[in-house]
């Protein structure tokens, strides 16, 4: 976008991706926690649609979003203190308000069954936002480490995700 020589680019983002994008802030780029419908603007592109547009310019997608090195070290210390097995992250449901949620989400039991994971050699980590009490109990009973209390936004998720050997997820951001 900067190649178009704009006066200023303003990213209006929600709190789940604010910290991830904050590193892009500069004299030409502003990152704001606002609802764009409450603000005046010339053009509005939802952030995930923008990412889709940027994929078309052949720039590496991982070149402009980074987790700070100290946070990667912190994430590694936490995950390594929990296991020395192969680390597999899982996520089984998305936003229940999404219009296509019944086709995108599944159950924890179903994702584990389809993945056919060997729990003797693997440690499974749940990356699920807002698991139900029933799901938390299932995780505990099946020796799956629940990271939900440590993940506040996509930045935290990226910090822990970078420590996984594999990640199995349904269709969600």
């Amino acid at each position: 976008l900067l190649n178009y020589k704009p006066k200023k680019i303003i990213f209006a983002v929600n709190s789940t991706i604010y910290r991830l994008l904050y590193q892009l802030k500069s004299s030409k780029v502003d990152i704001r926690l606002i609802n764009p419908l409450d603000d005046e603007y010339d053009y509005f592109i939802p952030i995930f649609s923008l990412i889709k547009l940027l994929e078309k310019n052949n720039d590496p997608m991982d070149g402009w979003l980074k987790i700070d090195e100290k946070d990667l070290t912190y994430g590694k210390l936490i995950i390594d203190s929990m296991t020395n097995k192969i680390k597999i992250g899982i996520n089984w449901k998305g936003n229940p308000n999404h219009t296509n949620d019944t086709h995108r989400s599944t159950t924890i039991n179903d994702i584990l069954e389809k993945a056919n994971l060997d729990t003797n050699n693997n440690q499974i980590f749940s990356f699920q936002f807002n698991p139900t009490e029933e799901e938390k109990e299932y995780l505990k009973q099946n020796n799956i480490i629940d990271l939900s209390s440590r993940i506040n936004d996509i930045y935290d998720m990226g910090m822990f995700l970078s420590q996984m050997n594999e990640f199995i997820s349904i269709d969600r951001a």
Side-chain angles (χ1 to χ4, degrees):
L1 293 176
L2 292 172
N3 290 339
Y4 292 106
K5 311 239 185 285
K7 283 185 185 177
K8 187 155 202 140
I9 299 170
I10 300 171
F11 289 106
V13 300
N14 67 29
S15 61
T16 60
I17 63 172
Y18 180 77
R19 284 195 308 152
L20 188 65
L21 294 178
Y22 192 78
Q23 63 189 312
L24 300 176
K25 193 168 182 150
S26 70
S27 62
K28 291 268 188 189
V29 178
D30 194 10
I31 311 296
R32 297 182 188 174
L33 275 171
I34 60 173
N35 179 352
L37 301 177
D38 294 339
D39 208 9
E40 290 186 30
Y41 52 87
D42 293 323
Y43 300 99
F44 174 75
I45 301 172
I47 194 73
F48 290 111
S49 295
L50 178 62
I51 289 170
K52 197 71 173 156
L53 287 172
L54 293 174
E55 283 178 345
K56 294 179 180 169
N57 72 2
N58 296 323
D59 287 341
M61 290 301 293
D62 61 354
W64 53 279
L65 295 177
K66 297 193 184 313
I67 306 298
D68 188 276
E69 194 62 43
K70 70 177 175 44
D71 293 327
L72 288 174
T73 302
Y74 173 72
K76 182 171 177 37
L77 284 171
I78 289 173
I79 298 299
D80 285 353
S81 72
M82 296 177 177
T83 187
N84 59 1
K85 295 180 180 181
I86 294 171
K87 301 159 190 75
I88 300 175
I90 60 169
N91 177 274
W92 60 92
K93 65 182 180 179
N95 181 348
N97 299 321
H98 189 281
T99 56
N100 199 26
D101 189 58
T102 57
H103 295 102
R104 297 178 353 140
S105 294
T106 187
T107 65
I108 184 173
N109 195 44
D110 196 36
I111 202 164
L112 291 171
E113 187 178 299
K114 287 184 173 148
N116 194 25
L117 299 173
D118 169 19
T119 54
N120 292 325
N121 296 314
N122 301 306
Q123 177 60 61
I124 302 170
F125 291 82
S126 168
F127 279 73
Q128 186 60 56
F129 280 111
N130 302 319
T132 65
E133 290 305 316
E134 184 179 279
E135 290 167 333
K136 285 181 183 181
E137 187 57 35
Y138 183 93
L139 296 172
K140 196 180 299 181
Q141 289 175 358
N142 290 280
N143 195 31
I144 298 170
I145 297 173
D146 179 11
L147 294 175
S148 64
S149 65
R150 296 177 183 265
I151 298 176
N152 298 306
D153 56 22
I154 292 178
Y155 186 92
D156 289 340
M157 184 172 275
M159 178 179 64
F160 289 119
L161 186 59
S162 68
Q163 305 308 314
M164 297 294 117
N165 298 98
E166 295 180 33
F167 188 71
I168 301 167
S169 180
I170 51 91
D171 175 23
R172 74 170 288 157

